Amino acid sequence: MRWLALFIAIGLLFDAEAEASNRRVALVIGNASYANAPPLGSPVNDAEDIAAGLAGLGFDVDLRKNTTLDDLRVGLVAFTEKSAAADIAVFYFAGYSAAAGVGSYLIPVDARLATPQSASAETVPLGAVTAAAGRARRLGLVILDAMRENPFPAIPNGRSSSSSLTSAGSAPIRNTLVFFPAEPGRTAEEGEGRNSPFAAALLKYLPQADLEINFVFRNVRDEVRQATHRKQTPYMYGQLSKDKIYLHPVKQVVQDDTAVMQHCDNAVAGLADLRGHADQGETRDDTKAAGAVAACAEAVKRWPGVDRLHYQLGRSLFAMREYGGAVASYKAASELGNARALYELGLMYENGNGVEKDPARSRFYYEMAAEKKIAPALVSLGLQQERGIGATSDPAKAYALYQRAAELGDATAINRMGELAEKGLGARRDLKLARALYQRGAAMGGLEALVNLARCNANGIGGRRDLAEARRLLAKAAQAGSTDARRILAHIEESKPK
């Protein structure tokens, strides 16, 4: 562990408050010629091509091929130093990785790994890499193209490097992402061409102009799924701020750094979310809404070609009940490519907010948004199918739409799947599955799922009965704003013996 102490000590020498100078740094490693494991075909090619691509994006790239343990450690120490003075730091590793216990490890070409105990001495823990990249001011990105079949039988769970990272229980470092080529428990394919399917997708989308980092990963995921016939789905773990990040900014770098745009975004963020409920008498703050309208109207005037600003203006006009203006702004945003605006238009036509209710038109907008992977649009389509709005009720189709939204991380969709599974609609009745889905949705912050999970605990649905846990879940949901949870808790209090 002396090298790790050295690694930490060197990192502490650098002032965390030093001003970054828009520097971009990268450490790219490709390990193929292993001394004690079958050689790999594509990692060196992958590393060379990724390094060239990052260099073209302005990164100061350190490319290392077939690294020994010493090479890997030296490169990582230098990368740590550079990351502390950079805006964006990228670490890419192609080769073998393994998991021993709760930690993931990158395997150098000279590793023997004859015993389980040798992992800490002969490998580099992924946590050290993540900490190094995380020193960057705006984004630390770790790309692990290494989830191949484990060639070292003495090291357990070699197939689950991403699973072991998350199961360790450590929270992700803010503004740091770890991108794996496959989901936990799955292995990545080597591919038959020059590059692995994962590297090929990265090479396609990393340099794409004005593609925000989250969309880079979504596109890479879809590309890999298609190339591998859905055998392999890339997996992302980490935590970013709300700021958009572009690896290849063209228009956005000038636009997104302006104070006027930020003023619009901040003003809209301070508004209550009134979408879909405009005529139900909620308390509203017209002063805040008017301020947001003014800020976003000014931003749109300056940058009429930025879709996000039209979308934000639509939201602020909606908060003011200026529905005609909101529709016009959402349409302008959608014409500029804003998929979220399509969803908002669908909501307006579904609820009749300032327009005549039109289920068919609502569905049209939802379907367009769903094609662009807007999860709430998929949920709305599922609800229409489930309730027979504009068509015959079809719970099976609804369940399938909820599944698609759930894959995108939508807690509402997961809760709806649980309700259908509990009722046996659109899927086989399975109370244990329903409870598990509620638990998953609740863990993601879904209030409806929290209430449903409390109900399961209170009544022993799909598992053991636990009244104390039911009350805890209801209290948590009530504190988060669930009116259903508050009503149930009030009823419980009223029912207590006097």
Side-chain angles (χ1 to χ4, degrees):
M1 299 298 289
R2 284 182 297 176
W3 76 271
L4 183 58
L6 175 63
F7 167 83
I8 295 172
I10 291 176
L12 292 175
L13 292 176
F14 303 97
D15 183 4
E17 300 299 324
E19 180 181 357
S21 56
N22 292 320
R23 287 191 60 199
R24 296 167 162 225
V25 300
L27 174 57
V28 178
I29 294 172
N31 284 355
S33 301
Y34 282 83
N36 301 293
L40 296 171
S42 68
V44 170
N45 296 338
D46 296 335
E48 290 175 343
D49 295 345
I50 291 290
L54 291 174
L57 294 174
F59 281 80
D60 173 10
V61 180
D62 180 4
L63 171 63
R64 295 174 181 249
K65 295 178 281 189
N66 293 318
T67 56
T68 64
L69 181 59
D70 287 341
D71 292 336
L72 191 51
R73 288 174 175 173
V74 169
L76 187 56
V77 169
F79 177 65
T80 304
E81 175 182 347
K82 292 179 180 179
S83 296
D87 267 1
I88 300 177
V90 175
F91 178 93
Y92 174 88
F93 180 90
Y96 284 121
S97 66
V102 297
S104 299
Y105 298 86
L106 311 184
I107 302 179
V109 295
D110 57 347
R112 293 180 63 247
L113 299 178
T115 66
Q117 293 73 29
S118 60
S120 60
E122 298 182 25
T123 64
V124 171
L126 183 59
V129 174
T130 306
R135 293 177 65 82
R137 184 176 67 175
R138 294 195 66 203
L139 173 67
L141 174 59
V142 176
I143 304 174
L144 185 67
D145 193 359
M147 294 172 63
R148 294 167 168 88
E149 289 288 351
N150 180 23
F152 299 97
I155 304 300
N157 301 323
R159 299 181 58 173
S160 305
S161 58
S162 63
S163 176
S164 61
L165 175 67
T166 56
S167 66
S170 59
I173 300 173
R174 186 169 178 81
N175 290 341
T176 304
L177 296 177
V178 185
F179 201 35
F180 301 95
E183 293 175 308
R186 300 292 184 91
T187 56
E189 295 194 6
E190 184 74 8
E192 299 179 356
R194 172 176 172 82
N195 301 114
S196 72
F198 186 51
L202 288 167
L203 290 166
K204 180 176 179 180
Y205 289 107
L206 283 177
Q208 188 164 322
D210 292 324
L211 190 63
E212 206 274 331
I213 192 70
N214 286 288
F215 289 95
V216 170
F217 293 137
R218 291 180 191 179
N219 289 347
V220 167
R221 179 193 62 199
D222 293 346
E223 187 89 4
V224 172
R225 280 172 60 84
Q226 182 177 0
T228 61
H229 305 289
R230 296 181 175 268
K231 295 178 182 177
Q232 181 179 333
T233 300
Y235 171 78
M236 184 170 69
Y237 172 76
Q239 185 181 79
L240 288 180
S241 69
K242 65 179 180 180
D243 296 333
K244 291 186 176 181
I245 297 174
Y246 301 88
L247 294 181
H248 186 194
V250 176
K251 297 179 298 182
Q252 314 294 359
V253 69
V254 176
Q255 296 167 347
D256 286 348
D257 286 342
T258 63
V260 173
M261 283 188 172
Q262 193 65 50
H263 182 40
C264 168
D265 289 335
N266 291 342
V268 175
L271 299 177
D273 187 357
L274 303 179
R275 294 171 298 177
H277 309 285
D279 298 315
Q280 297 180 20
E282 299 89 336
T283 301
R284 70 180 197 251
D285 188 337
D286 285 344
T287 302
K288 284 186 177 181
V293 169
C296 294
E298 175 63 22
V300 165
K301 181 179 177 181
R302 293 196 186 190
W303 295 282
V306 179
D307 64 280
R308 186 186 84 248
L309 298 178
H310 289 278
Y311 170 72
Q312 298 286 52
L313 179 57
R315 291 185 63 195
S316 57
L317 286 167
F318 191 101
M320 283 289 292
R321 272 59 172 182
E322 296 289 344
Y323 302 123
V327 169
S329 291
Y330 285 146
K331 286 184 176 178
S334 66
E335 289 168 2
L336 290 168
N338 191 296
R340 192 81 188 190
L342 293 168
Y343 166 66
E344 301 290 355
L345 286 167
L347 273 179
M348 293 189 77
Y349 279 100
E350 179 175 345
N351 295 295
N353 298 141
V355 294
E356 189 172 339
K357 284 189 177 184
D358 189 337
R361 197 164 188 180
S362 172
R363 186 178 188 85
F364 167 75
Y365 284 118
Y366 286 152
E367 287 177 343
M368 287 200 298
E371 287 179 3
K372 297 180 181 293
K373 297 181 173 58
I374 300 299
L378 287 162
V379 173
S380 293
L381 284 173
L383 288 168
Q384 287 188 339
Q385 288 283 2
E386 186 180 345
R387 297 168 180 173
I389 299 174
T392 304
S393 175
D394 191 333
K397 287 184 179 179
Y399 194 90
L401 287 163
Y402 295 147
Q403 281 185 310
R404 289 172 57 190
E407 289 175 359
L408 297 172
D410 190 280
T412 300
I414 294 168
N415 177 69
R416 298 302 305 176
M417 289 171 62
E419 291 182 354
L420 290 179
E422 183 178 354
K423 298 171 184 175
L425 295 174
R428 181 175 61 86
R429 189 166 189 257
D430 188 332
L431 298 183
K432 287 186 178 180
L433 173 61
R435 183 166 178 159
L437 288 167
Y438 295 147
Q439 189 164 11
R440 180 181 164 195
M444 297 169 64
L447 298 187
E448 292 177 340
L450 268 172
V451 174
N452 276 329
L453 183 59
R455 179 171 53 80
C456 288
N457 275 277
N459 297 288
I461 299 171
R464 69 187 183 90
R465 191 182 186 203
D466 189 334
L467 293 177
E469 177 66 3
R471 291 191 186 93
R472 187 190 72 80
L473 292 168
L474 285 172
K476 182 177 180 181
Q479 186 176 13
S482 170
T483 55
D484 286 339
R486 290 170 183 166
R487 176 177 50 79
I488 295 168
L489 286 171
H491 178 73
I492 291 173
E493 288 299 318
E494 291 174 359
S495 302
K496 285 183 178 179
K498 303 299 183 182

